[in-house]
Amino acid sequence: MTPRTIPADGGVVLGVDLGGTVVKAALFGPDGTALTVTHRPTGARRGPEAVVESLLDVVAESQTAAAARGTPVRAVGVASCGIVDERAGVAVFSAAFGWRDVPLRRLVAERAGVPVALGHDVRAGGIAEARLGAGRGHEVFLFVPIGTGVGAAVMIGGRPFGGAHWQAGELGHLVVRPGGEPCGCGQRGCVSTIVGGPPVLRHYRELAGADGPADAAAVAALARQGDPDAVRVWSEAVEVLAESLAVAVTLFDPSAIVLGGGLAGAGGLLFDPLRERLASRLAFQVVPEIRPAELAYEAGCLGAGLLARDLLNAAAGREE
């Protein structure tokens, strides 16, 4: 990953994307360009404490690299998966990590010795797309990454709407198939049990046999070739995604939906039928533009870097 630039302000900031399996960190120089990029496994299989240590190690490693250049880190932005209370600086819950109420902002600040901003990975990605990517020019849009499941950031005026309890945008946990497969959230029949890399792959293997393709991208390729089982699984995923987006459009009236994540890489195989099915489900609502995200896997680190920049700007009394 070679991140794009973020706005320059003369200070060095660190953007950290804490995903389910990998910690990615980008060190942004005074001119906004990426100086270094670091990847490290989260160590989630070893428990929640190992995830925290992996995060702190990446922060420390990046600070050492910055200091060696004579440009110390002035602020850190962390974008974490799970439920994140950004005001309190607490990672409230993560099924991937098995943690609850982790004071992540305080822990990173104690190790780093600089101001720290904590955000949600999808909302941070939405900020990056709003300022640097496919959301530019849209006052209200949805950023919807489709990876292991489905998330959403409701972007209004360039800022994500977090809700009263920082849980807005959990599109993947709309129940669309009552009584369906169990979801990690405790419900059954959620969007994320049907839409996302793992469920697409799992459902294809259930139909075609255990010795199926290695990942969802391969299932998409088979669907493009006309494989009947792949077409069935893919069609169901698109249908459920259209159902959930129709709800979101009715609630928020966005002018655009920006799709990111691994499944968005299927291109027209996803976008063409999705546009048709979403439009067919809407009545009085204005059909939003559906467009691919521009920042791909860079969005998390870029968004985290922007959070750190915003923190410095706020301290200096400058506009973002």
Side-chain angles (χ1 to χ4, degrees):
M1 182 188 74
T2 305
R4 306 183 184 197
T5 62
I6 64 173
D9 76 346
V12 174
V13 297
L14 177 65
V16 185
D17 180 9
L18 179 58
T21 58
V22 177
V23 187
K24 294 176 287 187
L27 192 65
F28 295 98
D31 62 353
T33 59
L35 302 175
T36 65
V37 178
T38 303
H39 297 75
R40 177 169 300 184
T42 60
R45 292 184 178 180
R46 294 184 285 114
E49 294 81 9
V51 177
V52 174
E53 283 305 312
S54 295
L55 170 62
L56 297 179
D57 287 347
V58 166
V59 170
E61 181 180 328
S62 299
Q63 284 188 291
T64 298
R69 294 171 175 268
T71 53
V73 172
R74 293 180 57 200
V76 177
V78 178
S80 174
C81 63
I83 295 174
V84 178
D85 185 332
E86 297 175 19
R87 185 175 294 110
V90 174
V92 177
F93 171 74
S94 171
F97 301 148
W99 65 22
R100 289 183 180 272
D101 300 322
V102 179
L104 213 54
R105 184 172 63 199
R106 176 177 63 80
L107 293 173
V108 176
E110 289 176 350
R111 175 70 67 90
V114 297
V116 175
L118 177 65
H120 183 265
D121 59 348
V122 175
R123 291 195 288 269
I127 291 172
E129 289 289 347
R131 300 189 198 176
L132 308 173
R136 286 174 294 182
H138 293 278
E139 180 71 13
V140 180
F141 75 94
L142 302 178
F143 172 56
V144 182
I146 310 170
T148 56
V150 183
V154 182
M155 302 301 299
I156 303 173
R159 296 176 179 273
F161 172 69
H165 305 97
W166 300 99
Q167 297 182 28
E170 291 293 340
L171 195 68
H173 297 295
L174 285 177
V175 175
V176 290
R177 297 292 183 268
E181 292 185 26
C183 179
C185 73
Q187 302 181 113
R188 301 183 73 92
C190 290
V191 171
S192 286
T193 65
I194 301 168
V195 184
V200 164
L201 179 60
R202 182 175 68 252
H203 293 157
Y204 179 82
R205 287 180 171 177
E206 289 171 355
L207 290 175
D211 296 328
D215 54 28
V219 177
L222 289 170
R224 188 174 283 109
Q225 295 165 15
D227 178 283
D229 292 328
V231 169
R232 177 179 171 184
V233 170
W234 192 262
S235 179
E236 174 71 0
V238 173
E239 183 67 26
V240 167
L241 182 59
E243 288 182 38
S244 62
L245 290 178
V247 173
V249 168
T250 302
L251 290 174
F252 300 110
D253 185 28
S255 61
I257 297 173
V258 176
L259 294 183
L263 260 63
L269 187 70
L270 173 65
F271 285 86
D272 293 343
L274 180 62
R275 290 184 180 107
E276 294 177 3
R277 296 188 194 187
L278 176 59
S280 72
R281 289 181 169 276
L282 301 179
F284 61 89
Q285 305 93 329
V286 177
V287 180
E289 177 185 359
I290 299 180
R291 58 191 309 182
E294 293 182 8
L295 305 178
Y297 297 105
E298 301 175 23
C301 281
L302 286 165
L306 289 168
L307 289 175
R309 275 279 193 263
D310 291 349
L311 196 61
L312 290 181
N313 288 338
R318 296 193 296 265
E319 292 292 330
E320 297 166 13

